[in-house]
Amino acid sequence: MRIQPWFYCVSQRAGGDGSYMRKNRLAAICLLILSIGLFGCSAEAGEETIEIIRGEAPRREEGLLRIGLIQTGKESDWRDANTNDYLNNFVEGRGYELIYVDGNSSPERQVQAMRDLVWQRVDYIILQPIVETGWDEAIKEAKQAGVPVIVADRQIAVDDGEYVAWIGSDFYDEGKKAVRWLENYLEEENRLNEEINIVLLEGTEGATAAIGRTEGIVEMVSAHENWKIVESRCANFMQGEAQSVMEQLLEEIDSSDIDVIISENDNMMFGAMKAMDRKGVSYGLEGDIITISFDALGEAFEKMIEGKLHVSVECNPLLAKGVEKIILDLQQGNPVEEKRYYVEEKVFDYKNASEYIGERVY
Ligand code: GYE
């Protein structure tokens, strides 16, 4: 794999780390990591201005398909599994030159990255968008330049004709699955008619995963007049942020007024658990609070077996093979049958976690 210097001069206004080299050693070896920024964005104190000095576009590796991957940034263990799946599949030995761009949790950087990958004349762009909006112009530029874009994981709010296809999860259905599990659990516990107070920890605002899960959850909860979402707080899918949010929440409301915590990913639930541990709040099978989350990480299985987590609705991060199939179809001139491809997912809980933990790959 060739690593090419690409000429960016990063000047820091204040603090911050101009290096976006991911911690992941594998990524550091295999990938060209670009620090992408907006040229001329109105930098506030604490932000960097990045002056883009474009050298010569990288020379093409003969015979390899040049794939640009625009990733969100590192916000969860799910994301690491998702990224590593691409790294392990789009390798030189399988005919690919992967150009990885870490969006560093900045939608603006992702948009700039798309423009830069088009300038690099990549063969395909795989876009893992942070949020759905802001893509109208850049996606048009890619299409006009003849660079097919495959969207994966979250979706983008543009006309279907602007990109080849999308592959990911049905987040709305995931949200409904979580509440359906709660209905069954409370029925088994003869608690269906109790007043149930729910705290919802939401993912990143504007991200399809958060939008869809919240819609599914709210719709199903509203069908129960004795159930109420008493607090809904955003923690951006991040464990540390969720711990702070939960600690703050426990300062504001009495934990005895919380019956259920629904967290829109496992990492935020882990953070909430740390906060509850620090406050001496009991949760899980032996505790006072029912714990429901999403992703079904290996660590979630461990917590379900320990009885700390009741259920995790699986969200499959292994999208590389599905994306590759779309690329190969295009390469071979085959039609891409669908505009949206949904991945298979299950629901795992404290009852079946020990049966499945051995099969988990992330
Ligand atoms: O659930 C979460 C990650 O977009 C499905 O983003 C993904 C979500 C996933 O931060 O852990």
Side-chain angles (χ1 to χ4, degrees), residues 1-8 20-22 24-36 56-59 61 66-71 87 90 92 96-103 113 116-117 119-120 122:
M1 164 63 74
R2 215 166 15 85
I3 298 286
Q4 272 195 348
W6 221 32
F7 304 102
Y8 278 85
Y20 298 105
M21 187 66 76
R22 287 181 60 80
N24 183 315
R25 191 164 42 82
L26 178 60
I29 294 164
C30 308
L31 303 172
L32 169 61
I33 292 177
L34 306 174
S35 59
I36 304 290
E56 182 192 337
R59 186 178 50 78
E61 288 278 0
R66 179 178 280 183
I67 308 290
L69 170 60
I70 306 174
Q71 187 48 294
L87 302 188
F90 288 96
E92 199 162 326
Y96 300 102
E97 177 189 358
L98 183 68
I99 299 173
Y100 174 91
V101 180
D102 183 336
D116 291 317
L117 289 168
W119 175 77
Q120 271 208 81
V122 295

Side-chain angles (χ1 to χ4, degrees), residues 78-190:
W78 185 98
R79 187 64 56 198
D80 287 350
N82 174 247
T83 298
N84 289 331
D85 188 44
Y86 287 115
L87 302 188
N88 295 332
N89 278 282
F90 288 96
V91 293
E92 199 162 326
R94 299 185 71 244
Y96 300 102
E97 177 189 358
L98 183 68
I99 299 173
Y100 174 91
V101 180
D102 183 336
N104 201 33
S105 300
S106 162
E108 295 77 16
R109 290 180 194 281
Q110 287 198 313
V111 169
Q112 185 58 47
M114 182 170 283
R115 292 195 159 105
D116 291 317
L117 289 168
V118 168
W119 175 77
Q120 271 208 81
R121 300 189 303 280
V122 295
D123 295 304
Y124 295 91
I125 291 175
I126 302 168
L127 171 62
Q128 296 256 148
I130 298 168
V131 292
E132 296 186 344
T133 52
W135 292 102
D136 302 87
E137 295 312 312
I139 199 90
K140 272 190 177 51
E141 291 166 20
K143 187 176 180 184
Q144 284 160 0
V147 179
V149 175
I150 294 133
V151 184
D153 174 13
R154 305 169 187 177
Q155 301 195 28
I156 55 176
V158 299
D159 294 340
D160 278 0
E162 300 293 87
Y163 59 94
V164 172
W166 167 86
I167 180 168
S169 301
D170 185 337
F171 302 113
Y172 170 68
D173 190 47
E174 288 178 355
K176 293 204 291 184
K177 283 177 186 174
V179 181
R180 210 169 286 130
W181 182 92
L182 179 61
E183 288 172 339
N184 293 333
Y185 179 76
L186 289 176
E187 188 168 20
E188 285 172 10
E189 300 286 309
N190 294 317

Side-chain angles (χ1 to χ4, degrees), residues 75-76 78-79 153-154 171 209 213 237 264-265 295 315:
E75 84 284 313
S76 62
W78 185 98
R79 187 64 56 198
D153 174 13
R154 305 169 187 177
F171 302 113
R213 287 170 187 161
F237 291 123
E264 290 183 348
N265 83 336
D295 283 351
C315 178

Side-chain angles (χ1 to χ4, degrees), residues 261-310:
I261 295 175
I262 302 179
S263 170
E264 290 183 348
N265 83 336
D266 288 333
N267 285 101
M268 291 194 292
M269 180 58 85
F270 302 159
M273 286 175 174
K274 283 186 186 297
M276 290 189 282
D277 290 341
R278 290 177 66 167
K279 298 276 186 179
V281 174
S282 72
Y283 55 86
L285 295 181
E286 304 302 320
D288 299 326
I289 297 176
I290 297 164
T291 48
I292 299 174
S293 74
F294 296 80
D295 283 351
L297 298 173
E299 188 177 351
F301 277 78
E302 293 165 11
K303 286 190 165 30
M304 286 187 278
I305 291 167
E306 289 166 27
K308 291 183 176 177
L309 180 64
H310 281 82

